[in-house]
C-alpha cells in the first residue's frame, strides 16, 4: 500500500509539473502559504541602504536539519549568484540570520561572507534529511523577515512557504495599492524558480529562469488598463519593479505601468498567447511580495494574493 501511495503522489507530480507547455498555454504555479507550517520557505532581502534579517522557527518537538540558500539578484559578474550552507534546529528552536553577519544556529562556520551593501535578492530554506535530500512530509517551518530602510521605514512580513506536496495551483496573482499615509514608492518583488528534481527539490534560480505576466490596473471605479507584459527573473532588473508613474520603484524609479492611478488593484494575468523569450526557462514556482512606503516613516510588505 505504501508503494501505491508513493506512486500515486509521483504521478500527480508528473501531471502538475512535468506536462509540456505549449506556446499558447501559461503555466500554473503551486499556491504558497504565508502563515502556516511549511517544508520550504522563501524570503526577500535588500541591502540597498537597508538592513535585512530573516527568522526561521522549528514548530515541532523534534530536531530538524535545514538547507539555507542565499541568492544575490544583482551580484557582479554573474547575476543571481548563490551561496548555501546546512544548519540544525532543535525542538521549538528559532534562529535569526543577519544578512550582514551570517551566523549558523549551531555555531559552526557557514563559510558565507556578509551580503555587500547595495545588493538584494532572496533566501530559501528547505527541510532536508541527514543526507541533504529535501523532505516533503513534515511541514514545520515558520518564520518572518524584516527589512529596515535608512529613510526611517521598514518592511515586516512572513515568508511564503510550500506546505503540501500536491498544492492547489494558480496562474494569476493580485495585490492592492493606495496612497494612504502618503505612499509614494513601491517594491514589486517577483521570484521565479525551478526545482532540482521533477515536481519538487532544491530551488534553482537565475536570470535565465522567468515568469511572465500581463499586468492590469483596476482603479476605484473598476475601470481597467492593460500594461506591457512583464517577465520576472532573478536578476538586477528582473526581480524588483515599481507599480506605475504615481508609485514607482523605491530604489531605481522603474515601473510596470505608465498610468498615474494612485489607488487600486493590480492583477497579474498570463499573457495570451503565452510565450517566453527562447533564452528563458519557464519557472515551476513563483513567489511574489508587494512593499509600499512613503519614503520616510511608513512601510508595509505582504505576499501576492493567488487568484483561484
Amino acid at each position: 500500500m505504501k508503494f501505491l501511495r508513493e506512486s500515486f503522489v509521483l504521478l500527480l507530480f508528473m501531471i502538475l509539473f512535468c506536462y509540456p507547455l505549449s506556446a499558447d498555454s501559461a503555466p500554473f504555479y503551486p499556491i504558497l502559504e504565508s502563515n502556516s507550517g511549511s517544508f520550504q520557505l522563501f524570503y526577500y532581502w535588500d541591502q540597498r541602504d537597508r538592513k535585512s534579517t530573516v527568522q526561521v522557527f522549528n514548530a515541532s518537538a523534534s530536531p530538524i536539519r535545514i538547507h539555507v540558500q542565499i541568492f544575490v539578484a544583482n551580484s557582479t559578474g554573474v547575476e543571481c549568484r548563490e551561496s548555501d550552507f546546512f544548519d540544525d534546529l532543535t525542538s521549538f528552536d528559532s534562529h535569526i540570520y543577519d544578512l550582514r553577519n551570517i551566523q549558523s544556529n549551531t555555531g559552526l562556520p557557514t563559510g558565507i561572507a556578509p551580503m555587500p551593501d547595495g545588493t538584494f535578492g532572496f533566501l530559501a530554506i528547505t527541510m532536508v534529511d541527514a543526507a541533504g535530500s529535501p523532505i516533503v512530509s513534515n511541514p514545520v517551518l515558520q518564520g518572518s523577515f524584516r527589512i529596515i530602510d535608512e529613510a526611517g521605514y521598514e518592511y515586516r512580513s512572513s515568508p511564503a512557504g510550500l506546505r503540501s506536496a500536491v498544492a492547489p495551483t494558480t496562474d494569476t496573482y493580485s495585490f492592492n495599492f493606495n496612497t494612504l499615509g502618503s505612499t509614494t514608492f513601491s517594491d514589486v518583488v517577483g521570484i521565479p524558480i525551478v526545482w532540482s528534481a521533477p515536481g519538487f527539490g532544491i530551488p534553482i534560480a537565475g536570470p535565465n529562469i522567468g515568469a511572465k505576466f500581463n499586468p492590469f490596473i483596476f482603479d476605484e471605479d473598476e475601470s481597467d488598463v492593460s500594461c506591457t507584459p512583464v517577465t520576472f527573473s532573478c536578476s538586477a532588473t528582473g526581480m524588483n519593479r515599481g507599480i506605475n508613474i504615481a508609485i514607482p520603484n523605491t530604489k531605481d524609479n522603474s515601473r510596470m505601468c505608465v498610468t498615474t492611478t494612485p489607488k487600486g488593484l493590480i492583477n497579474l494575468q498570463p499573457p495570451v498567447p503565452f510565450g517566453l523569450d527562447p533564452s528563458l526557462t519557464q519557472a515551476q514556482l513563483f513567489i511574489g511580495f508587494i512593499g509600499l512606503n512613503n519614503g520616510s516613516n511608513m512601510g508595509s510588505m505582504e505576499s501576492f494574493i493567488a487568484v483561484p
Side-chain angles (χ1 to χ4, degrees):
M1 290 298 293
K2 181 179 179 181
F3 174 77
L4 290 175
R5 287 196 301 269
E6 291 177 348
S7 299
F8 178 68
V9 170
L10 178 60
L11 176 61
L12 287 176
F13 274 153
M14 296 296 288
I15 293 172
L16 283 171
F17 302 114
C18 302
Y19 193 84
L21 296 166
S22 72
D24 295 323
S25 61
F28 283 80
Y29 303 108
I31 295 176
L32 300 176
E33 300 279 347
S34 60
N35 294 304
S36 301
S38 304
F39 46 77
Q40 191 169 73
L41 297 177
F42 296 90
Y43 308 74
Y44 177 65
W45 61 268
D46 198 331
Q47 301 280 82
R48 296 174 296 175
D49 298 321
R50 292 169 167 173
K51 176 183 178 181
S52 297
T53 57
V54 306
Q55 181 257 355
V56 61
F57 172 61
N58 172 19
S60 76
S62 301
I64 61 171
R65 167 156 268 216
I66 57 176
H67 183 202
V68 181
Q69 297 169 273
I70 305 172
F71 295 86
V72 184
N74 62 338
S75 50
T76 56
V78 177
E79 291 180 299
C80 201
R81 181 176 288 113
E82 176 193 353
S83 301
D84 72 308
F85 61 95
F86 292 95
D87 207 353
D88 296 288
L89 300 172
T90 58
S91 62
F92 304 110
D93 197 1
S94 177
H95 185 68
I96 293 176
Y97 298 108
D98 183 344
L99 274 296
R100 294 186 188 276
N101 183 23
I102 304 167
Q103 303 291 321
S104 71
N105 186 55
T106 61
L108 296 174
T110 64
I112 307 299
M115 294 299 106
D117 291 343
T119 59
F120 69 99
F122 76 97
L123 186 148
I125 295 180
T126 305
M127 289 180 57
V128 295
D129 59 21
S133 299
I135 296 174
V136 298
S137 59
N138 190 26
V140 299
L141 291 179
Q142 296 179 5
S144 63
F145 65 90
R146 186 180 184 188
I147 301 172
I148 303 173
D149 194 281
E150 291 180 0
Y153 64 88
E154 66 177 81
Y155 291 145
R156 290 190 184 188
S157 183
S158 299
L162 194 63
R163 65 170 285 105
S164 172
V166 185
T169 61
T170 186
D171 63 356
T172 304
Y173 298 87
S174 70
F175 61 84
N176 295 302
F177 65 95
N178 58 59
T179 53
L180 294 177
S182 300
T183 297
T184 50
F185 298 105
S186 58
D187 289 271
V188 184
V189 178
I191 305 167
I193 67 108
V194 297
W195 284 302
S196 60
F200 180 74
I202 299 300
I204 299 172
N208 61 327
I209 297 170
K212 186 177 182 180
F213 297 96
N214 192 30
F216 285 83
I217 284 189
F218 293 82
D219 63 19
E220 292 181 283
D221 298 322
E222 297 186 0
S223 300
D224 66 289
V225 176
S226 175
C227 307
T228 303
V230 59
T231 300
F232 290 98
S233 65
C234 181
S235 61
T237 60
M239 181 179 287
N240 190 329
R241 303 170 183 270
I243 293 176
N244 60 6
I245 293 174
I247 311 178
N249 183 263
T250 308
K251 299 300 180 181
D252 63 15
N253 209 40
S254 66
R255 58 189 64 84
M256 294 188 298
C257 302
V258 294
T259 67
T260 56
T261 306
K263 181 178 181 180
L265 176 144
I266 282 192
N267 198 261
L268 296 172
Q269 303 176 9
V272 179
F274 174 81
L276 280 176
D277 184 293
S279 65
L280 295 178
T281 297
Q282 173 58 51
Q284 294 174 304
L285 181 67
F286 180 75
I287 305 101
F289 297 103
I290 171 62
L292 299 172
N293 69 83
N294 66 355
S296 59
N297 60 357
M298 189 198 76
S300 66
M301 178 168 277
E302 58 188 18
S303 298
F304 288 176
I305 299 170
V307 178

